[in-house]
Amino acid sequence: MSLEYRIERDGDRVTVIPEGDISLETVDVLREVLRGTVDSQNVAFIDVDMHAVTFLDSSGIGVLIAAQRLATNRGSTLMLREPTPMVRMVLEIAHLDGLLLQDASA
């Protein structure tokens, strides 16, 4: 299993685009990418575009929650967007969809 990612910047908004599985085997990559993004200067909004994520386990959820809390503490907003049906289902089961998912109308 592997996890690739891209980072796109547009003004004060950064989009992190992971691709592949977010699991115990790959979560360290995502943790470092999100930590580095949150620590960047002049980042008000961090979007994690989940459209290419094929799997998400509890370790991945933990990293996403920790990154969101860190971002909030630094004055930034971190939200997930465009989750695959599988990712959305995992977040709904964990009752985290309202906390982590960006409203589609936003």
Side-chain angles (χ1 to χ4, degrees), residues 13 102-106:
R13 181 176 299 271
Q102 180 172 306
D103 185 349
S105 65

Side-chain angles (χ1 to χ4, degrees), residues 34-59:
L34 293 178
R35 187 176 294 152
T37 302
V38 170
D39 287 342
S40 297
Q41 298 295 320
N42 302 319
V43 176
F45 303 99
I46 302 165
D47 294 332
V48 183
D49 184 333
M50 302 289 281
H51 83 273
V53 173
T54 53
F55 181 79
L56 177 66
D57 72 6
S58 60
S59 62

